Amino acid sequence: MKKFVNVITCLLALLAGSCFMSAQTYQYPFQDISLPAEERIDNLLSLMTLEEKIATFSGQGVPRLGVPSPGSSEAIHGLVRGGATDLEGFVRMSKLAETELRPEEKRPDLVHSTAFPQGYGLGETWDREILRMVGEAMSVEARYHSWKNGRNVLCLWAPNADLGRDPRWGRTEECFGEDPFLVGELVAAEVRGIQGDDPQYWRSAAVMKHFLANSNEDGRCFTSSDFDEALFRDYYSYGFWKGVRDGGARSLMCAYNKYNGVPCSVSDFIQEILVDEWGMDGQILNDGGALKQLVTMHHYADDVKQAVKMSVDAGITRILDQVSEEMAQAVAEGLLSEEIIDRNVRFNIRTMLRLGLMDSSERNPYRDMGFTDVAPWATAEHKDLARQVTRKSVVLLKNEGELLPLDKKEVRKIAVIGNRAESVLKDWYGALPAYSVSALEGIKAAVEDEDVEVRFQAWDSDGKAQELAAWADVAIVCVGNHPMTSPDWKWEKIQAPWGEGTVAGDGREAVDRRSLELESEDLIKMVWKANPNTIVALISSFPYTIDWTQEHVPSILHVSQCSQELGNALADVIFGDYNPAGRTTQTWVKDILDLPGMLDYDIRNGRTYMYFKGEPLYPFGYGLSYTSFEYSRLKVRCQKDSVRLSFDLSNTGGRDGEEVVQLYVRFPGDDAAMRLRGFERVPVSEGETVRIDLVVPFEDLKLWDTEAGAFGLAGGRYEFLIGASSEDIRLSDSVAL
């Protein structure tokens, strides 16, 4: 009996202790995870000083109250750096990024991450799931950096939802393409990957950029992107809207430029559309330097204090300029109300709350992710993902006579030629990987166990490239742009100054391209003259007018820059270990004269596949395969709130492969030739037939009705077009709605 009493006593003591601990687990109500989120935000806000509130505009947390800073990082195709949360650290790491990649022992002080293909290459995968996986990988690495370095890096400035309306745009490398539906689907997928699927917490915060219509670099800090409301809704904002509606994004970065005469960072659309209409309630950023440019470039504000007032009043919650002192002065002088500051600070606190920075409970799935000293980017999983993404991004542009894939058993001598063969280059907004595999290294590795000799020559110095091409069974020419617009000197080279380029056809942030011609196309000509069995690997951040190459060279591949697995993935395609299925995401024009003026933002004047008047070099959605596909037995059914299209897809060639099936719609009364409204990347085995179902919600069949001020269905017949590209339509039918 005594033993039983002791047990009961112990249990009661444990229960009492548990209740006591439960009551004492938080000092302030905002730490109580049982309270509604907005009540917790109310409490934290009430405890903060004005100085602490202003600090959140610089990305800080509230350390006095135990709320850490969320931190941030560029992440277009990998984390730019880990752990640096201040502007000085951002600039320092960005400058270090202006190098060719070399073994990590050369830069032991740098923090690594997985380097995926540039955003342009990610778009060329046409694969939602692979974009989700990229977002997840970057987010996991962000959490690892935060855990390992003790400094959070949880707000990822990605994805880029801007549209590549003109291939001259210097930042074409960052975008997924020219089509709003494609971009919107891929943006939403990457956002889901970054933020995770927990209903309450984010693994990281996705910060989409740059809102709005930011697709010229020259003069971007003072030029105006002008167009009507229909283009605002149906084109320029569509990808962001999809990121919010379908991806769950709640944060974005505003663009440098004006929209219809008003700088984007002080535009009414922040409150009226982003917040009130779309429900965005996370961080809303201006871009680095944008606040002071309101004074110095736009001449929209008289001084920095007025620029601060304009920005905060408009709804900006995160300012990338250091203006804490000016903001405090604006409040003290009555220019800026603390009530408005509180309104905006709520957005920053809400982001911290969703990132779990106010929760240490086990309910937060990202509190303890089980990390070890083995970094995620060092695992086979992340390395394999980088290789798979890069393979999926390769676009086969031409394959006359089926020169590709090469047979390792038949080819004995391979000449690798060109200035993009030896190294993987770094751009402004990509990760610094722990290793990289160049095209030359990948080709050599692919044949190291075979009786194949590989020789290399960068340029046709003294005719050496021609001599090498004549010696070889096949010549592989690797050419393309330099992502930093720098000269092809050695890795210790002097970098091209900010806003300057050394080659007219190259571009980057702050530098639009002055030409669409490939500087090294003459090298291709010389190699082809010596050996018609020439393969061109165009390793580039954007399209080129390679008309001569398309006419003469039998096989052409496109792959974007910067992936750490570039060489392995390219070799996988060249030697047939992977059947390419990447697709173009822009209209590749034949001549720069095919394009309207750079600052003409009315795409109806001849931009994109929807309005292009000429004959493209490669149309939107184009890409070849080592096998062939047939489409048949289309059936279209109207349902309650959607249209369902079913058809057979047959692999009629001699290899397993993937087909990117594309669904375009001709809207009644629409002036666009067609609009993409569905796609799937489908694996089909040799000789197999699969039934494909594509469902188009009525919501996706609405266009903006300016008179009604809303999206609406047009009366009449909608024509549904299914095919392998925008110019390769295989099946069609129409439905009256």
Side-chain angles (χ1 to χ4, degrees):
M1 180 68 176
K2 182 178 181 181
K3 184 176 181 181
F4 176 75
V5 170
N6 288 340
V7 170
I8 294 297
T9 301
C10 289
L11 288 173
L12 289 172
L14 286 171
L15 181 61
S18 174
C19 292
F20 175 79
M21 290 177 64
S22 176
Q24 298 297 316
T25 52
Y26 60 88
Q27 183 179 0
Y28 304 105
F30 78 81
Q31 297 166 327
D32 184 355
I33 63 174
S34 67
L35 290 177
E38 295 306 310
E39 287 187 26
R40 298 176 68 190
I41 295 172
D42 287 339
N43 177 250
L44 177 57
L45 193 59
S46 72
L47 298 170
M48 295 170 63
T49 66
L50 176 61
E51 183 180 9
E52 288 169 334
K53 293 173 183 177
I54 290 175
T56 71
F57 282 84
S58 298
Q60 303 304 308
V62 195
R64 178 179 64 87
L65 299 174
V67 181
S69 303
S72 57
S73 173
E74 294 280 4
I76 293 298
H77 54 105
L79 300 184
V80 169
R81 81 264 185 254
T85 58
D86 58 303
L87 282 175
E88 181 183 350
F90 164 67
V91 172
R92 181 177 64 254
M93 293 299 291
S94 297
K95 286 182 177 179
L96 287 171
E98 295 189 3
T99 63
E100 294 182 9
L101 301 182
R102 287 298 183 267
E104 61 179 317
E105 61 266 18
K106 283 187 175 286
R107 305 248 29 134
D109 55 313
L110 299 183
V111 181
H112 299 293
S113 297
T114 303
F116 297 103
Q118 291 177 310
Y120 198 77
L122 295 176
E124 287 180 320
T125 68
W126 286 65
D127 192 319
R128 298 176 184 86
E129 177 59 15
I130 210 72
L131 265 292
R132 186 202 64 77
M133 294 170 69
V134 167
E136 180 177 349
M138 294 192 301
S139 183
V140 167
E141 292 183 5
R143 282 282 175 176
Y144 179 85
H145 279 304
S146 301
W147 170 80
K148 183 72 172 177
N149 300 327
R151 299 182 68 184
N152 288 328
V153 54
L154 298 179
C155 295
L156 304 190
W157 296 350
N160 191 320
D162 293 323
L163 292 164
R165 68 180 177 96
D166 192 307
R168 290 171 292 189
W169 179 34
R171 297 180 82 169
T172 295
E173 64 188 33
E174 295 185 36
C175 78
F176 292 147
E178 72 182 20
D179 180 77
F181 184 86
L182 173 67
V183 170
E185 293 291 298
L186 298 182
V187 164
E190 187 173 307
V191 168
R192 289 192 293 269
I194 289 172
Q195 298 190 164
D197 54 10
D198 188 88
Q200 185 169 351
Y201 295 95
W202 291 338
R203 186 168 41 237
S204 296
V207 181
M208 301 180 297
K209 55 185 220 176
H210 314 79
F211 200 87
L212 177 77
N214 176 191
S215 54
N216 66 279
E217 295 303 294
D218 296 347
R220 63 182 181 170
C221 300
F222 57 83
T223 57
S224 183
S225 304
D226 299 336
F227 46 88
D228 59 33
E229 189 176 10
L231 286 178
F232 181 101
R233 298 289 186 162
D234 293 328
Y235 191 71
Y236 288 105
S237 73
Y238 191 91
F240 293 91
W241 176 61
K242 278 291 191 78
V244 174
R245 190 192 72 172
D246 297 346
R250 291 295 178 266
S251 300
L252 58 69
M253 178 185 291
C254 290
Y256 287 117
N257 54 279
K258 295 183 180 77
Y259 162 59
N260 287 352
V262 180
C264 289
S265 60
V266 295
S267 173
D268 289 343
F269 61 51
I270 297 176
Q271 283 295 324
E272 294 176 359
I273 295 177
L274 301 183
V275 176
D276 296 341
E277 185 178 324
W278 293 3
M280 299 197 71
D281 57 6
Q283 289 186 350
I284 298 179
L285 293 71
N286 65 7
D287 207 340
L291 186 137
K292 293 181 179 179
Q293 288 166 6
L294 291 172
V295 180
T296 61
M297 304 293 285
H298 286 294
H299 303 295
Y300 206 77
D302 295 332
D303 54 32
V304 173
K305 283 188 292 186
Q306 186 182 22
V308 168
K309 172 181 170 53
M310 287 180 171
S311 300
V312 176
D313 283 349
I316 295 295
T317 77
R318 173 86 163 83
I319 297 174
L320 298 191
D321 290 344
Q322 296 289 359
V323 292
S324 298
E325 184 177 338
E326 289 89 343
M327 187 178 293
Q329 290 174 355
V331 175
E333 295 173 11
L335 295 175
L336 183 61
S337 74
E338 193 165 352
E339 180 183 3
I340 293 296
I341 285 183
D342 285 355
R343 179 199 68 180
N344 292 16
V345 171
R346 293 186 70 89
F347 287 56
N348 297 332
I349 296 174
R350 196 175 289 114
T351 298
M352 299 175 203
L353 185 66
R354 287 171 175 156
L355 288 169
L357 300 181
M358 294 157 65
D359 293 356
S360 59
S361 71
E362 293 184 358
R363 190 174 68 172
N364 178 359
Y366 307 119
R367 180 180 67 91
D368 180 7
M369 296 183 64
F371 289 127
T372 68
D373 284 336
V374 178
W377 56 85
T379 65
E381 180 182 4
H382 282 225
K383 293 177 183 178
D384 290 347
L385 177 60
R387 187 167 183 166
Q388 179 69 348
V389 174
T390 312
R391 295 195 301 186
K392 281 179 170 283
S393 74
V394 177
V395 183
L396 180 60
L397 296 172
K398 185 180 180 183
N399 196 25
E400 188 176 81
E402 298 185 349
L403 178 58
L404 288 172
L406 299 181
D407 189 335
K408 300 176 188 177
K409 302 299 182 183
E410 294 184 0
V411 174
R412 289 290 170 262
K413 296 179 291 185
I414 298 176
V416 178
I417 298 168
N419 61 330
R420 295 294 168 251
E422 279 190 290
S423 59
V424 175
L425 300 177
K426 182 77 171 62
D427 68 4
W428 191 249
Y429 289 136
L432 186 71
Y435 73 93
S436 64
V437 181
S438 70
L440 179 61
E441 290 167 335
I443 291 166
K444 285 182 174 180
V447 297
E448 63 181 352
D449 295 329
E450 308 291 340
D451 183 20
V452 178
E453 184 177 0
V454 179
R455 297 182 185 176
F456 170 70
Q457 176 68 31
W459 294 105
D460 193 31
S461 305
D462 298 327
K464 288 186 173 62
Q466 281 194 305
E467 291 177 12
L468 187 61
W471 161 85
D473 296 325
V474 63
I476 304 173
V477 183
C478 301
V479 288
N481 68 300
H482 193 299
M484 301 303 297
T485 66
S486 296
D488 282 311
W489 297 345
K490 294 302 179 183
W491 100 281
E492 296 86 2
K493 64 183 175 292
I494 299 172
Q495 294 297 314
W498 180 256
E500 300 292 340
T502 58
V503 175
D506 287 0
R508 57 169 284 190
E509 181 171 4
V511 184
D512 282 326
R513 303 169 68 197
R514 301 185 299 278
S515 171
L516 298 183
E517 294 182 0
L518 179 64
E519 179 200 30
S520 46
E521 191 166 31
D522 279 351
L523 176 64
I524 299 172
K525 294 177 182 179
M526 301 302 289
V527 172
W528 173 83
K529 181 179 179 181
N531 188 340
N533 290 330
T534 294
I535 299 163
V536 170
L538 181 59
I539 304 172
S540 73
S541 307
F542 26 66
Y544 281 96
T545 51
I546 50 171
D547 302 24
W548 186 95
T549 300
Q550 167 61 24
E551 181 180 351
H552 295 88
V553 175
S555 295
I556 309 170
L557 297 162
H558 179 257
V559 61
S560 68
Q561 300 272 7
C562 301
S563 169
Q564 65 189 44
E565 286 286 343
L566 188 154
N568 285 332
L570 190 60
D572 288 342
V573 172
I574 287 174
F575 294 105
D577 297 315
Y578 187 83
N579 190 346
R583 296 293 187 267
T584 58
T585 62
Q586 274 187 305
T587 301
W588 289 46
V589 300
K590 291 184 174 182
D591 194 290
I592 198 169
L593 296 177
D594 292 337
L595 298 171
M598 188 64 177
L599 289 179
D600 183 356
Y601 272 80
D602 187 343
I603 64 168
R604 303 182 190 95
N605 294 329
R607 293 193 192 279
T608 80
Y609 72 96
M610 293 185 285
Y611 298 101
F612 186 61
K613 303 296 194 299
E615 180 183 347
L617 181 64
Y618 306 115
F620 174 81
Y622 171 81
L624 304 176
S625 171
Y626 295 153
T627 190
S628 56
F629 297 92
E630 287 186 359
Y631 296 63
S632 62
R633 299 181 58 232
L634 173 63
K635 184 176 182 180
V636 180
R637 301 186 300 278
C638 278
Q639 301 180 146
K640 181 180 179 181
D641 55 2
S642 63
V643 177
R644 179 180 294 272
L645 300 98
S646 302
F647 61 95
D648 284 349
L649 179 67
S650 302
N651 184 336
T652 56
R655 291 174 177 265
D656 296 346
E658 294 175 289
E659 175 76 330
V660 177
V661 297
Q662 300 162 45
L663 169 61
Y664 297 87
V665 179
R666 289 195 178 114
F667 289 68
D670 188 15
D671 51 0
M674 61 180 71
R675 299 176 188 263
L676 183 72
R677 282 300 181 267
F679 65 90
E680 293 292 338
R681 183 163 177 149
V682 184
V684 189
S685 300
E686 175 189 354
E688 180 185 13
T689 296
V690 297
R691 190 70 178 168
I692 306 297
D693 284 308
L694 297 176
V695 177
V696 185
F698 285 169
E699 191 71 25
D700 288 344
L701 294 175
K702 295 179 179 179
L703 296 177
W704 187 255
D705 185 331
T706 302
E707 186 175 332
F711 286 100
L713 287 171
R717 298 194 71 83
Y718 287 73
E719 187 175 0
F720 294 87
L721 313 168
I722 294 173
S725 82
S726 59
E727 292 201 351
D728 185 7
I729 302 302
R730 309 289 184 87
L731 302 169
S732 65
D733 201 350
S734 63
V735 172
L737 297 178

Coordinates of all heavy atoms in Angstrom, one line a residue, residues 665-669 714-720 733-737:
V665 N -4.7 27.9 -76.6 CA -6.1 28.2 -76.8 C -6.2 29.5 -77.6 O -5.5 30.5 -77.3 CB -6.8 28.5 -75.4 CG1 -8.3 28.8 -75.6 CG2 -6.8 27.2 -74.5
R666 N -7.1 29.5 -78.6 CA -7.5 30.7 -79.3 C -8.8 31.2 -78.7 O -9.8 30.6 -78.8 CB -7.6 30.5 -80.8 CG -6.3 30.2 -81.5 CD -6.5 30.3 -83.0 NE -5.2 30.1 -83.7 CZ -4.9 29.1 -84.5 NH1 -5.8 28.2 -84.7 NH2 -3.7 29.0 -85.0
F667 N -8.7 32.4 -78.1 CA -9.9 32.9 -77.4 C -10.7 33.7 -78.4 O -10.2 34.4 -79.3 CB -9.4 33.9 -76.3 CG -8.8 33.3 -75.1 CD1 -7.6 32.6 -75.2 CD2 -9.4 33.3 -73.9 CE1 -7.0 32.1 -74.1 CE2 -8.9 32.7 -72.8 CZ -7.6 32.1 -72.9
P668 N -12.1 33.6 -78.3 CA -12.9 34.4 -79.2 C -12.7 35.9 -79.1 O -12.6 36.4 -77.9 CB -14.3 34.0 -78.8 CG -14.2 33.4 -77.4 CD -12.8 32.8 -77.3
G669 N -12.5 36.5 -80.2 CA -12.4 38.0 -80.2 C -11.0 38.5 -79.7 O -10.8 39.7 -79.6
A714 N -15.2 35.2 -72.4 CA -15.7 35.8 -73.6 C -16.7 34.9 -74.2 O -16.6 33.7 -74.2 CB -14.6 36.1 -74.6
G715 N -17.8 35.4 -74.7 CA -18.8 34.6 -75.4 C -18.3 34.1 -76.8 O -17.7 34.9 -77.5
G716 N -18.5 32.9 -77.1 CA -18.1 32.3 -78.4 C -17.4 31.0 -78.3 O -17.4 30.4 -77.2
R717 N -16.8 30.6 -79.4 CA -16.1 29.3 -79.4 C -14.6 29.5 -79.1 O -13.9 30.4 -79.6 CB -16.2 28.7 -80.8 CG -17.6 28.4 -81.2 CD -17.7 27.5 -82.4 NE -17.3 26.1 -82.1 CZ -18.1 25.2 -81.5 NH1 -19.3 25.5 -81.2 NH2 -17.6 24.0 -81.3
Y718 N -14.1 28.7 -78.2 CA -12.7 28.6 -77.9 C -12.1 27.4 -78.6 O -12.6 26.3 -78.6 CB -12.6 28.3 -76.4 CG -12.9 29.5 -75.5 CD1 -14.2 29.9 -75.3 CD2 -11.9 30.2 -74.8 CE1 -14.5 31.0 -74.5 CE2 -12.2 31.2 -74.0 CZ -13.5 31.6 -73.8 OH -13.8 32.7 -73.0
E719 N -11.0 27.7 -79.3 CA -10.3 26.7 -80.1 C -9.1 26.1 -79.3 O -8.3 26.9 -78.8 CB -9.8 27.2 -81.4 CG -9.3 26.1 -82.3 CD -8.9 26.7 -83.7 OE1 -9.1 27.9 -83.9 OE2 -8.4 25.9 -84.5
F720 N -9.1 24.8 -79.1 CA -8.0 24.2 -78.3 C -7.1 23.5 -79.2 O -7.5 22.7 -80.1 CB -8.7 23.2 -77.3 CG -9.5 23.8 -76.2 CD1 -10.9 24.1 -76.5 CD2 -9.0 24.2 -75.0 CE1 -11.6 24.7 -75.5 CE2 -9.7 24.8 -74.1 CZ -11.1 25.1 -74.3
D733 N -9.6 21.2 -81.6 CA -11.1 21.1 -81.6 C -11.5 22.4 -80.9 O -10.7 23.1 -80.3 CB -11.5 19.9 -80.7 CG -13.0 19.5 -81.1 OD1 -13.6 20.3 -81.8 OD2 -13.4 18.4 -80.6
S734 N -12.8 22.7 -81.0 CA -13.3 23.9 -80.5 C -14.6 23.6 -79.6 O -15.3 22.6 -79.8 CB -13.7 24.9 -81.6 OG -14.7 24.4 -82.4
V735 N -14.8 24.5 -78.7 CA -15.9 24.4 -77.8 C -16.6 25.8 -77.6 O -15.8 26.8 -77.4 CB -15.5 23.8 -76.4 CG1 -16.6 23.9 -75.4 CG2 -15.0 22.4 -76.6
A736 N -17.9 25.8 -77.6 CA -18.6 27.1 -77.3 C -18.8 27.2 -75.8 O -19.3 26.3 -75.1 CB -19.9 27.1 -78.0
L737 N -18.4 28.3 -75.2 CA -18.6 28.5 -73.7 C -19.4 29.8 -73.5 O -19.4 30.7 -74.3 CB -17.3 28.7 -73.0 CG -16.3 27.5 -73.1 CD1 -15.0 27.8 -72.4 CD2 -17.0 26.3 -72.4

